């Protein structure tokens, strides 16, 4: 069973890395938008869409491997501290921010200037929440 748990944990960490691609990469691409020419913007949007797709795959991996690890490795949530529950609250918040970012990105791509101006703030929020998730995980599992 240790091999299964270790492989699940490895998949969980790989999924975290994939999820971080969007949280950290999309704001970088977005910061190039204001200076980009009209011909370059579609390419930047394609890059952002690709990063978003990778990030969603990572998020799906986290949603699958996380509960499996809790069940198989720890036998449930009975012994977890407040750090674990803070992490779970932040995970839910991160999912909400990701959905908001996706809706906002579609508006920005459609030409909504206020959505484009809002994008860096949403990206920064996603980064902070992801960092909070990882911080809480460190305290929850050590």
């Amino acid at each position: 069973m240790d091999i299964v748990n270790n492989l699940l944990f490895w998949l969980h960490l790989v999924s975290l890395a994939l999820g971080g691609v969007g949280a950290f990469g999309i704001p970088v691409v977005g910061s190039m938008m204001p200076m980009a020419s009209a011909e370059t913007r579609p390419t930047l949007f394609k890059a952002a869409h690709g990063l978003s797709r990778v990030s969603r795959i990572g998020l799906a991996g986290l949603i699958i491997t996380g509960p499996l690890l809790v069940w198989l490795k720890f036998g449930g949530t009975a012994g977890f501290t407040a750090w674990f529950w803070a992490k779970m609250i932040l995970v839910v918040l991160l999912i909400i921010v990701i959905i908001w970012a996706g809706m906002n990105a579609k508006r920005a791509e459609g030409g909504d200037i206020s959505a484009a101006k809002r994008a860096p703030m949403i990206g920064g929020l996603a980064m902070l929440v992801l960092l909070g998730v990882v911080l809480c995980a460190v305290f929850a599992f050590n």
Side-chain angles (χ1 to χ4, degrees):
M1 197 56 146
D2 284 342
I3 291 173
V4 171
N5 286 335
N6 285 339
L7 289 173
L8 277 173
F9 185 55
W10 175 77
L11 284 171
H12 197 70
L13 292 177
V14 168
S15 296
L16 178 63
L18 293 174
V21 164
F24 291 95
I26 292 172
V28 171
V29 173
S31 71
M32 298 175 190
M33 290 286 186
M35 299 158 289
S37 67
E39 298 81 28
T40 306
R41 281 194 188 101
T43 303
L44 291 175
F45 277 114
K46 282 183 184 178
H49 289 305
L51 292 170
S52 178
R53 190 171 24 261
V54 169
S55 187
R56 285 192 309 269
I57 291 168
L59 183 61
L62 289 168
I63 290 170
I64 293 167
T65 59
L68 282 172
L69 281 167
V70 166
W71 176 52
L72 293 173
K73 186 172 183 168
F74 300 103
T77 60
F80 289 152
T81 66
W83 285 107
F84 174 81
W85 297 109
K87 175 188 168 288
M88 296 313 299
I89 290 168
L90 288 174
V91 166
V92 170
L93 180 60
L94 183 59
I95 291 169
I96 292 167
V97 171
I98 289 168
I99 292 167
W100 181 28
M103 292 172 16
N104 190 70
K106 286 181 184 176
R107 289 186 185 119
E109 191 171 6
D112 184 338
I113 301 300
S114 64
K117 289 180 181 178
R118 200 171 28 251
M121 183 270 305
I122 297 172
L125 180 61
M127 282 191 269
L128 285 174
V129 174
L130 179 59
L131 291 172
V133 167
V134 174
L135 178 70
C136 289
V138 168
F139 282 97
F141 297 107
N142 275 329

